[in-house]
Amino acid sequence: EDQVTQSPEALRLQEGESSSLNCSYTVSGLRGLFWYRQDPGKGPEFLFTLYSAGEEKEKERLKATLTKKESFLHITAPKPEDSATYLCAVLGGATNKLIFGTGTLLAVQP
Amino acid sequence: DAGVTQSPTHLIKTRGQQVTLRCSPKSGHDTVSWYQQALGQGPQFIFQYYEEEERQRGNFPDRFSGHQFPNYSSELNVNALLLGDSALYLCASSPDANNEQFFGPGTRLTVL
C-alpha cells in the first residue's frame, strides 16, 4: 500500500537556524513527489515537484531533494514568515490520487 | 489569472442534513479532485473528475458524491451528514493526471 511518513511532526527553529524536513515514501512506480506549504485554515500552496532520484529544486530559502526512498526539504536561514505546515505527497502507479503525509509543523522564532 | 476558487468559505450544518460545496478550477485545467482534511491530518482523497465523469474514487462512502460541469467546475455533495464529516474540504485542479495539483482555499464544514 502506498504510504508517506513525514518527520519530525513539529520543529521549532530560531531565525537563521538551518534545518531539514524528511519525507519517507513507499509507492509502486513513483510518478511524482510534491511539496506543499499550508498556512492555518488555508489550502495547500504548491512548492515543488520532483520526478526522479537525484533531482533537486530550489526556491528562495527552500531546496527539495529526492532519493529512491525519501525526500528532504532543506530550509536555509529561515525567517519567521517561513512558519507553516509543510506537506509531502506522492503520485504513483495507476492511481490519480495524491497520497499525503501528516505534515511537519515548522515554527521559526525571531 | 484566478487560481482555484471554492464556495462557501464556511458552512455550519446539523446531523442528517445535506450539503453542496462548489469549486472552479484554475484557468486551463480540466481535472478536478476533492480532498477532506481533518484537523492535524494530511488531505485524504475523495474523488477525481475529468470530462464530466468520476475517474477515480477514494475510500469514502456513497454519501459523498460529485459532479463536473462542461466548464470544468465541480460540486461535492454530502448526504446524511455525520459529526465526523466536520473538516476542511479542499478542491484541487490540474491540467492532467500527471501534473501537480493546485489547491483552493477550502471550505470549512462544521456539523453540529
Side-chain angles (χ1 to χ4, degrees), chain A residues 37-53:
Chain A
R37 168 193 170 128
Q38 187 173 30
D39 293 306
K42 304 284 182 63
E45 174 190 346
F46 170 74
L47 293 175
F48 302 109
T49 305
L50 301 168
Y51 291 105
S52 58

Side-chain angles (χ1 to χ4, degrees), chain A residues 20 22 36 49 61 73 95 108:
Chain A
S20 296
N22 177 264
Y36 290 87
T49 305
R61 295 177 293 282
L73 184 65
T95 180
V108 182

Side-chain angles (χ1 to χ4, degrees), chain B residues 69-90:
Chain B
F69 299 94
N71 66 352
Y72 308 124
S73 66
S74 178
E75 287 183 349
L76 164 65
N77 301 292
V78 187
N79 294 324
L81 285 167
L82 304 174
L83 295 179
D85 294 332
S86 295
L88 181 67
Y89 287 84
L90 296 163

Side-chain angles (χ1 to χ4, degrees), chain A residues 57-74:
Chain A
K57 294 274 181 74
E58 283 189 70
K59 178 181 179 180
E60 297 181 354
R61 295 177 293 282
L62 300 176
K63 178 180 176 180
T65 62
L66 181 65
T67 72
K68 289 186 177 180
K69 294 183 178 181
E70 58 190 351
S71 176
F72 291 93
L73 184 65
H74 307 278

Side-chain angles (χ1 to χ4, degrees), chain A residues 31 36 38 49 91 95-96, chain B residues 37 48 56 97-98 100-101:
Chain A
R31 287 158 50 204
Y36 290 87
Q38 187 173 30
T49 305
L91 187 66
T95 180
N96 295 322
Chain B
Q37 186 177 25
Q48 185 180 83
Q56 187 165 2
N98 286 320
E100 51 270 7
Q101 297 181 15

